[in-house]
Amino acid sequence: MESKWKVSSQYIGGEKMYIALRVLDTSQPQHGGNVETKGKYSTDRDAVQDLVDQLNGGTKNEH
C-alpha cells in the first residue's frame, strides 16, 4: 500500500532542498527503491507543499 505524499528534504550542496515523495510499500522500510518522487528539488518548501496537497487530492495552501 502506498503512503500519502509528503514533503521530504535533504541537504544538497550545503543547501536544504525539498521534493514531493511517497513510500510505495508501507510494509517495507523507506529506501531509494521504495519511494516515488514528483517534481524537481526546490528550495521553496511552500511550493512543494502545494504540490503535495494537490497530489493528495486537496487544494493549494494559501500562503
Side-chain angles (χ1 to χ4, degrees):
M1 181 175 155
E2 297 168 339
S3 70
K4 287 188 173 186
W5 291 94
K6 62 183 180 179
V7 176
S8 179
S9 67
Q10 68 181 41
Y11 284 93
I12 300 173
E15 189 167 18
K16 194 166 189 177
M17 304 291 286
Y18 304 92
I19 197 163
L21 174 143
R22 72 174 166 182
V23 177
L24 296 173
D25 183 351
T26 57
S27 69
Q28 299 295 316
Q30 180 177 322
H31 58 78
N34 190 28
V35 296
E36 177 182 8
T37 60
K38 286 281 187 193
K40 297 179 180 179
Y41 278 97
S42 172
T43 57
D44 185 348
R45 189 190 192 290
D46 290 338
V48 176
Q49 183 64 59
D50 286 341
L51 175 59
V52 165
D53 293 342
Q54 291 174 11
L55 292 167
N56 284 328
T59 57
K60 291 180 90 170
N61 284 337
E62 296 298 322
H63 302 288

